[in-house]
Amino acid sequence: AAINNTVLDFDDYLVTRIVEQTVHLDDLARSIGNDDGWPLPDDTYDLVASVATEAGRRHLGPQTVLRGLYRRGFADDAFPVF
């Protein structure tokens, strides 16, 4: 079996943790009926949105991201990155 020697630097690792925590906090909030979620710093939302946009662009293509962000009714009003 091949071994993947990809190295993730510490800053990029922290970004993955911030994204994960933000998404899980939102899931937790919704699970208890808090549809507004918990307030987080704007910088956190900016980072998470940027990561999701780039992931969507790479996975689905730029046109799908554009439509998901700016078109009503596209993909059932959801932005399915994965």
Side-chain angles (χ1 to χ4, degrees), residues 33-45:
N34 179 359
D35 288 335
D36 294 329
W38 281 282
L40 296 171
D42 287 342
D43 289 349
T44 300
Y45 290 114

Side-chain angles (χ1 to χ4, degrees), residues 1-3 9 12-13 17 26-27 38-39 43 54 58-59 68 71 79:
I3 296 175
D9 68 32
D12 290 337
Y13 174 76
R17 302 301 82 196
D26 186 59
D27 289 341
W38 281 282
D43 289 349
E54 180 60 16
R58 289 180 185 197
H59 184 70
R71 301 287 183 259
F79 185 25

Side-chain angles (χ1 to χ4, degrees), residues 4-20:
N4 186 348
N5 290 323
T6 302
V7 175
L8 186 66
D9 68 32
F10 188 68
D11 289 344
D12 290 337
Y13 174 76
L14 289 178
V15 168
T16 68
R17 302 301 82 196
I18 291 168
V19 169
E20 182 179 17

